[in-house]
Amino acid sequence: MEILLIVIFVLGYLAIAMEHSLKIDKLIPALAMMALLWAIIAVTHMDVFEVDTVSKTLVPHHLEGILLHHLGKTAEILIFLMGAMTIVEIIDYFNGFSTIKTYIKTTNKVKLLWLFTTLGFVLSAIIDNLTATIVLLTILQKIIKDREIRLWFAGLIVIAANAGGAWSPIGDVTTTMLWIANKVSASQLVVHVLIPSILCYAVPTFIASRMKIFKGYVDQDTDGDLEQSKLSPIMFYLGLGAILFVPIFKTFTHLPPYVGMMLSLAVVAAFAEYFSHTKFSIGAATAGDGTASHHSPVHKSLSKIEMPSILFFLGILMAVAALESLGMLFNFAGVLETSMPWLGTELESTKISDLVVMLLGMGSAVIDNVPLVAASIGMFSIGTDEPAWHFIAYAAGTGGSILIIGSAAGVVAMGMEKIDFFWYLKKIGWLALIGFLSGFAGFILLRDFLLNVH
C-alpha cells in the first residue's frame, strides 16, 4: 500500500512540475494528491505516527489527531500568507508602490541595474520575492522602452528577488515555513544567510554590469509615469513597517507569526478605511446589497489575494504531511544516514549537508521548492537554528533562479515580459548559477567561521 501512496505522490509531483506543458494549474494535482493520500490511509487503516523530536523516534498516533495536528501547522502558514498578501494589495490599492519611482533619477544602464537589483533584494525580503518582481517589472516597463534591455533587467531582478527572499523569514514561502515550524529564528537566519544572499545577487550583477548590453544610457519612456497621490507614500511605508513588525511581535510575545500578521493587517486596514473615507451605511447593511463594502479598500484587497497559491500550498503541505505521518520521510532520512557515510553517524547539522543541500537547491530549479522544504522539515530531526536549516533556506530560496520556471518570481517575469525559456537559460541561467555557487561557498566559509568562534 505504501508503494501506491508513493506512486500517487510522484505522479502528482510530476503534474506540478509539468504545469506549463500540461496547461493545468498546479493547485489541481496538489489538492487531488492530498485528498487521495489521506483517503487511502483512512480506508486501509494504516498506522500513523508523530516524530518525537527529543528521542528521535516514531510515536503511534490516532488518525484524526495527526490530521488535525498537520492541518493546524499548515493553517498557520496559510493565514500568515493571506495576511501578508492582503497588506500588499492594500498598498497597491493606494498606488503605494509608485513611491519607488521617486528613487529612480538616473538613465545610466549600470546604475539602473544596481538600483533595480538592490531594490529587488531589499523589497523581496519584506513583501516576498513574487510581489517585489511584479512591482519592479511594472516600473521597469514604464521607464525603459527597449524590450531587449528590459529582458536583461528582468532576468537579473529575478535573481536578486530570490536572493533577497532567502535571508528573511517573511521574504519567501520556504523561509516562512522554516520559521513557523520553529526550525530557524529570525535573527539567526539573518546572521547566517544575509551575506551569502548578497553574494548571490551581487556577483551576477557585477558580471552583467561589465557586459556590452549595459553600456551607455537608456531612453526613458516619460509617457508612462505612475500616478501618485499624497497617500501613496504613507500607505507604502505603513504597509512595509507593519510587515516588518511581525518578527518583532513574535520575539516579544513568543506567539505564532500569524498572530502578529493579523494585528498588522488590522492596523493597516484601519488606516486604509479611514483614508478612503468609507462610511458605514445602516440602510445598505440592512438591504444586504453590499453597498457598504463596495468601495472598501480592505474588501477589494481581500478579493485580489492569490487564492490559487493558497490552495496549492494547502494541497502540497498536507500531501507531504501524509507521507510524514506514515514515517516514510523519517525512515528515508535513516536510509540516507546509513547509505551515505559522509553524512555522519548522527546526521549532524554540518554533515547533512553540503552535497545534499546543493542537490536540493539545484532541484528547486526544476521542481517546486515548497514540497522540497516541507519534506526536509519532516525528514531531519535536528534542533532549531542548526546551520543546516539556514543552508536549506538559502539553497531552496536561490536555486530556483537557475531556470526561468524554477521560482514564482521567474514564472511571473516570464509572463509579464514574454521571456523565452531558452533565452533565459542561455543569457541569465549561467549568471544565476554563478551567483548560487558564490553564495554557497560564502555560506560554508561563514558557517565554519561561526562554528569555530563558538
Side-chain angles (χ1 to χ4, degrees), residues 15 18-26 28-29:
M18 299 172 65
E19 174 189 18
H20 300 287
S21 301
L22 297 174
K23 293 181 172 53
I24 296 176
D25 195 296
K26 61 185 178 182
I28 296 173

Side-chain angles (χ1 to χ4, degrees), residues 51-99:
V51 178
D52 188 326
T53 54
V54 178
S55 62
K56 296 183 180 179
T57 57
L58 293 174
V59 180
H61 213 289
H62 294 294
L63 175 61
E64 185 177 349
I66 202 75
L67 184 58
L68 287 173
H69 167 75
H70 286 298
L71 180 60
K73 292 297 180 185
T74 300
E76 287 188 12
I77 297 171
L78 301 186
I79 293 172
F80 178 92
L81 292 174
M82 288 174 69
M85 287 176 179
T86 307
I87 291 175
V88 168
E89 291 297 341
I90 290 174
I91 296 173
D92 190 52
Y93 178 89
F94 289 92
N95 212 4
F97 293 112
S98 62
T99 306

Side-chain angles (χ1 to χ4, degrees), residues 184-256:
V184 300
S185 64
S187 59
Q188 289 301 306
L189 182 68
V190 174
V191 168
H192 286 82
V193 186
L194 176 58
I195 292 176
S197 295
I198 290 173
L199 288 172
C200 183
Y201 103 91
V203 171
T205 303
F206 175 78
I207 294 172
S209 68
R210 317 297 294 179
M211 294 179 177
K212 186 177 180 181
I213 190 75
F214 289 105
K215 300 298 180 186
Y217 298 83
V218 298
D219 296 323
Q220 285 197 336
D221 185 0
T222 55
D223 297 331
D225 288 340
L226 296 172
E227 295 180 7
Q228 184 178 15
S229 71
K230 62 180 181 180
L231 294 176
S232 297
I234 296 174
M235 292 306 298
F236 176 73
Y237 293 116
L238 176 64
L240 295 192
I243 296 174
L244 286 172
F245 167 75
V246 176
I248 300 171
F249 181 87
K250 182 183 185 297
T251 302
F252 279 99
T253 64
H254 302 290
L255 289 169

Side-chain angles (χ1 to χ4, degrees), residues 266-427:
V267 172
V268 174
F271 276 93
E273 292 291 310
Y274 174 76
F275 288 142
S276 65
H277 303 291
T278 299
K279 307 293 185 184
F280 181 76
S281 168
I282 295 178
T286 55
D289 60 3
T291 307
S293 63
H294 183 68
H295 298 292
S296 167
V298 178
H299 284 252
K300 196 161 188 176
S301 298
L302 281 168
S303 69
K304 292 177 67 178
I305 63 174
E306 296 179 63
M307 283 308 296
S309 296
I310 297 294
L311 290 173
F312 166 71
F313 296 140
L314 171 65
I316 198 67
L317 293 175
M318 289 301 291
V320 172
L323 300 186
E324 181 184 342
S325 299
L326 295 172
M328 289 184 181
L329 299 182
F330 182 83
N331 293 331
F332 181 66
V335 171
L336 282 178
E337 181 181 354
T338 55
S339 63
M340 298 185 183
W342 47 267
L343 275 171
T345 55
E346 295 183 10
L347 219 62
E348 296 169 25
S349 62
T350 55
K351 295 179 181 178
I352 282 180
S353 141
D354 304 341
L355 179 58
V356 169
V357 177
M358 178 179 280
L359 291 175
L360 187 148
M362 297 287 193
S364 69
V366 181
I367 51 181
D368 202 275
N369 57 0
V370 171
L372 290 176
V373 173
S376 69
I377 291 173
M379 283 169 57
F380 303 124
S381 301
I382 54 177
T384 303
D385 278 331
E386 290 286 345
W389 292 126
H390 302 131
F391 214 174
I392 289 171
Y394 168 78
T398 60
S401 301
I402 298 171
L403 297 178
I404 188 71
I405 61 170
S407 66
V411 171
V412 77
M414 188 181 191
M416 289 180 71
E417 287 291 350
K418 304 297 184 287
I419 301 174
D420 181 72
F421 176 89
F422 293 103
W423 182 94
Y424 184 95
L425 182 64
K426 179 181 177 182
K427 305 287 187 178

